[in-house]
mmCIF file of all heavy atoms in Angstrom:
data_model
loop_
_atom_site.group_PDB
_atom_site.id
_atom_site.type_symbol
_atom_site.label_atom_id
_atom_site.label_comp_id
_atom_site.label_asym_id
_atom_site.label_seq_id
_atom_site.Cartn_x
_atom_site.Cartn_y
_atom_site.Cartn_z
ATOM 1 N N VAL A 376 7.109 20.852 17.192
ATOM 2 C CA VAL A 376 6.843 20.323 15.855
ATOM 3 C C VAL A 376 7.419 21.245 14.791
ATOM 4 O O VAL A 376 8.070 20.793 13.841
ATOM 5 C CB VAL A 376 5.330 20.105 15.645
ATOM 6 C CG1 VAL A 376 5.017 19.887 14.167
ATOM 7 C CG2 VAL A 376 4.848 18.908 16.459
ATOM 8 N N TRP A 377 7.199 22.549 14.913
ATOM 9 C CA TRP A 377 7.727 23.464 13.895
ATOM 10 C C TRP A 377 9.247 23.420 13.850
ATOM 11 O O TRP A 377 9.842 23.373 12.768
ATOM 12 C CB TRP A 377 7.254 24.895 14.135
ATOM 13 C CG TRP A 377 7.949 25.874 13.230
ATOM 14 C CD1 TRP A 377 8.911 26.774 13.571
ATOM 15 C CD2 TRP A 377 7.764 26.000 11.811
ATOM 16 N NE1 TRP A 377 9.339 27.467 12.465
ATOM 17 C CE2 TRP A 377 8.652 27.003 11.366
ATOM 18 C CE3 TRP A 377 6.941 25.367 10.890
ATOM 19 C CZ2 TRP A 377 8.731 27.401 10.033
ATOM 20 C CZ3 TRP A 377 7.016 25.758 9.556
ATOM 21 C CH2 TRP A 377 7.895 26.760 9.129
ATOM 22 N N ARG A 378 9.883 23.404 14.998
ATOM 23 C CA ARG A 378 11.347 23.365 15.005
ATOM 24 C C ARG A 378 11.856 22.082 14.342
ATOM 25 O O ARG A 378 12.844 22.106 13.608
ATOM 26 C CB ARG A 378 11.859 23.490 16.447
ATOM 27 C CG ARG A 378 11.681 24.897 17.034
ATOM 28 C CD ARG A 378 12.348 25.039 18.388
ATOM 29 N NE ARG A 378 11.619 24.345 19.446
ATOM 30 C CZ ARG A 378 10.632 24.884 20.147
ATOM 31 N NH1 ARG A 378 10.223 26.121 19.901
ATOM 32 N NH2 ARG A 378 10.035 24.195 21.105
ATOM 33 N N GLU A 379 11.160 20.974 14.574
ATOM 34 C CA GLU A 379 11.576 19.722 13.943
ATOM 35 C C GLU A 379 11.308 19.738 12.445
ATOM 36 O O GLU A 379 12.055 19.128 11.670
ATOM 37 C CB GLU A 379 10.878 18.539 14.615
ATOM 38 C CG GLU A 379 11.358 18.296 16.037
ATOM 39 C CD GLU A 379 10.873 16.971 16.601
ATOM 40 O OE1 GLU A 379 10.392 16.116 15.829
ATOM 41 O OE2 GLU A 379 10.978 16.772 17.831
ATOM 42 N N VAL A 380 10.248 20.407 12.018
ATOM 43 C CA VAL A 380 9.975 20.552 10.585
ATOM 44 C C VAL A 380 11.132 21.283 9.902
ATOM 45 O O VAL A 380 11.619 20.870 8.840
ATOM 46 C CB VAL A 380 8.642 21.297 10.365
ATOM 47 C CG1 VAL A 380 8.535 21.813 8.934
ATOM 48 C CG2 VAL A 380 7.468 20.377 10.669
ATOM 49 N N VAL A 381 11.584 22.380 10.497
ATOM 50 C CA VAL A 381 12.684 23.149 9.912
ATOM 51 C C VAL A 381 13.958 22.308 9.866
ATOM 52 O O VAL A 381 14.687 22.311 8.860
ATOM 53 C CB VAL A 381 12.906 24.444 10.712
ATOM 54 C CG1 VAL A 381 14.136 25.192 10.207
ATOM 55 C CG2 VAL A 381 11.674 25.339 10.625
ATOM 56 N N GLU A 382 14.233 21.560 10.922
ATOM 57 C CA GLU A 382 15.419 20.697 10.946
ATOM 58 C C GLU A 382 15.323 19.613 9.877
ATOM 59 O O GLU A 382 16.318 19.295 9.209
ATOM 60 C CB GLU A 382 15.560 20.060 12.326
ATOM 61 C CG GLU A 382 15.930 21.039 13.431
ATOM 62 C CD GLU A 382 15.884 20.393 14.803
ATOM 63 O OE1 GLU A 382 15.669 19.163 14.863
ATOM 64 O OE2 GLU A 382 16.060 21.109 15.809
ATOM 65 N N LEU A 383 14.140 19.038 9.707
ATOM 66 C CA LEU A 383 13.969 17.996 8.698
ATOM 67 C C LEU A 383 14.176 18.551 7.294
ATOM 68 O O LEU A 383 14.798 17.907 6.446
ATOM 69 C CB LEU A 383 12.584 17.362 8.819
ATOM 70 C CG LEU A 383 12.229 16.303 7.774
ATOM 71 C CD1 LEU A 383 13.219 15.151 7.796
ATOM 72 C CD2 LEU A 383 10.800 15.801 7.986
ATOM 73 N N GLY A 384 13.664 19.758 7.038
ATOM 74 C CA GLY A 384 13.871 20.367 5.732
ATOM 75 C C GLY A 384 15.344 20.510 5.403
ATOM 76 O O GLY A 384 15.781 20.236 4.271
ATOM 77 N N ALA A 385 16.151 20.923 6.382
ATOM 78 C CA ALA A 385 17.589 21.049 6.158
ATOM 79 C C ALA A 385 18.229 19.684 5.919
ATOM 80 O O ALA A 385 19.126 19.541 5.073
ATOM 81 C CB ALA A 385 18.235 21.738 7.357
ATOM 82 N N SER A 386 17.773 18.667 6.653
ATOM 83 C CA SER A 386 18.316 17.318 6.473
ATOM 84 C C SER A 386 18.044 16.798 5.068
ATOM 85 O O SER A 386 18.934 16.249 4.404
ATOM 86 C CB SER A 386 17.709 16.364 7.506
ATOM 87 O OG SER A 386 18.051 16.741 8.810
ATOM 88 N N LEU A 387 16.809 16.964 4.604
ATOM 89 C CA LEU A 387 16.466 16.480 3.272
ATOM 90 C C LEU A 387 17.260 17.218 2.205
ATOM 91 O O LEU A 387 17.642 16.635 1.183
ATOM 92 C CB LEU A 387 14.964 16.626 3.034
ATOM 93 C CG LEU A 387 14.072 15.651 3.809
ATOM 94 C CD1 LEU A 387 12.606 16.000 3.622
ATOM 95 C CD2 LEU A 387 14.317 14.214 3.361
ATOM 96 N N ASP A 388 17.523 18.492 2.442
ATOM 97 C CA ASP A 388 18.301 19.260 1.471
ATOM 98 C C ASP A 388 19.699 18.675 1.309
ATOM 99 O O ASP A 388 20.267 18.686 0.217
ATOM 100 C CB ASP A 388 18.377 20.721 1.915
ATOM 101 C CG ASP A 388 18.753 21.653 0.770
ATOM 102 O OD1 ASP A 388 18.217 21.465 -0.341
ATOM 103 O OD2 ASP A 388 19.580 22.549 0.995
ATOM 104 N N SER A 389 20.255 18.129 2.379
ATOM 105 C CA SER A 389 21.608 17.569 2.310
ATOM 106 C C SER A 389 21.648 16.213 1.616
ATOM 107 O O SER A 389 22.727 15.691 1.329
ATOM 108 C CB SER A 389 22.183 17.439 3.722
ATOM 109 O OG SER A 389 21.503 16.437 4.454
ATOM 110 N N LEU A 390 20.469 15.637 1.347
ATOM 111 C CA LEU A 390 20.410 14.310 0.724
ATOM 112 C C LEU A 390 20.034 14.365 -0.752
ATOM 113 O O LEU A 390 19.672 13.345 -1.334
ATOM 114 C CB LEU A 390 19.392 13.438 1.470
ATOM 115 C CG LEU A 390 19.625 13.212 2.964
ATOM 116 C CD1 LEU A 390 18.535 12.318 3.538
ATOM 117 C CD2 LEU A 390 20.989 12.609 3.221
ATOM 118 N N ALA A 391 20.137 15.531 -1.363
ATOM 119 C CA ALA A 391 19.671 15.699 -2.745
ATOM 120 C C ALA A 391 20.323 14.726 -3.712
ATOM 121 O O ALA A 391 19.713 14.316 -4.705
ATOM 122 C CB ALA A 391 19.892 17.137 -3.199
ATOM 123 N N THR A 392 21.563 14.314 -3.439
ATOM 124 C CA THR A 392 22.269 13.464 -4.410
ATOM 125 C C THR A 392 21.720 12.047 -4.487
ATOM 126 O O THR A 392 22.070 11.309 -5.415
ATOM 127 C CB THR A 392 23.768 13.400 -4.081
ATOM 128 O OG1 THR A 392 23.941 12.905 -2.750
ATOM 129 C CG2 THR A 392 24.415 14.763 -4.221
ATOM 130 N N ILE A 393 20.869 11.656 -3.531
ATOM 131 C CA ILE A 393 20.331 10.289 -3.616
ATOM 132 C C ILE A 393 19.226 10.173 -4.655
ATOM 133 O O ILE A 393 18.797 9.058 -4.986
ATOM 134 C CB ILE A 393 19.787 9.804 -2.261
ATOM 135 C CG1 ILE A 393 18.486 10.523 -1.901
ATOM 136 C CG2 ILE A 393 20.814 9.917 -1.172
ATOM 137 C CD1 ILE A 393 17.707 9.849 -0.820
ATOM 138 N N ARG A 394 18.739 11.305 -5.187
ATOM 139 C CA ARG A 394 17.650 11.248 -6.167
ATOM 140 C C ARG A 394 18.032 10.337 -7.336
ATOM 141 O O ARG A 394 19.125 10.425 -7.871
ATOM 142 C CB ARG A 394 17.303 12.641 -6.692
ATOM 143 C CG ARG A 394 16.702 13.556 -5.636
ATOM 144 C CD ARG A 394 16.438 14.961 -6.177
ATOM 145 N NE ARG A 394 15.291 14.982 -7.068
ATOM 146 C CZ ARG A 394 15.325 15.389 -8.335
ATOM 147 N NH1 ARG A 394 16.457 15.783 -8.874
ATOM 148 N NH2 ARG A 394 14.221 15.400 -9.060
ATOM 149 N N GLY A 395 17.113 9.467 -7.683
ATOM 150 C CA GLY A 395 17.335 8.558 -8.797
ATOM 151 C C GLY A 395 17.980 7.243 -8.423
ATOM 152 O O GLY A 395 18.026 6.326 -9.247
ATOM 153 N N THR A 396 18.493 7.104 -7.184
ATOM 154 C CA THR A 396 19.061 5.829 -6.768
ATOM 155 C C THR A 396 17.944 4.867 -6.370
ATOM 156 O O THR A 396 16.816 5.270 -6.117
ATOM 157 C CB THR A 396 20.032 6.011 -5.596
ATOM 158 O OG1 THR A 396 19.335 6.574 -4.478
ATOM 159 C CG2 THR A 396 21.178 6.941 -5.990
ATOM 160 N N ARG A 397 18.297 3.584 -6.305
ATOM 161 C CA ARG A 397 17.303 2.559 -5.997
ATOM 162 C C ARG A 397 17.702 1.771 -4.758
ATOM 163 O O ARG A 397 18.881 1.506 -4.534
ATOM 164 C CB ARG A 397 17.126 1.605 -7.183
ATOM 165 C CG ARG A 397 16.533 2.276 -8.420
ATOM 166 C CD ARG A 397 16.095 1.257 -9.440
ATOM 167 N NE ARG A 397 15.375 1.889 -10.544
ATOM 168 C CZ ARG A 397 14.415 1.288 -11.242
ATOM 169 N NH1 ARG A 397 14.072 0.045 -10.953
ATOM 170 N NH2 ARG A 397 13.802 1.921 -12.229
#
Side-chain angles (χ1 to χ4, degrees):
V376 166
W377 171 253
R378 288 187 287 272
E379 291 191 14
V380 164
V381 174
E382 291 173 6
L383 177 59
S386 297
L387 288 173
D388 199 42
S389 69
L390 302 181
T392 58
I393 72 164
R394 293 177 74 238
T396 60
R397 294 193 173 210

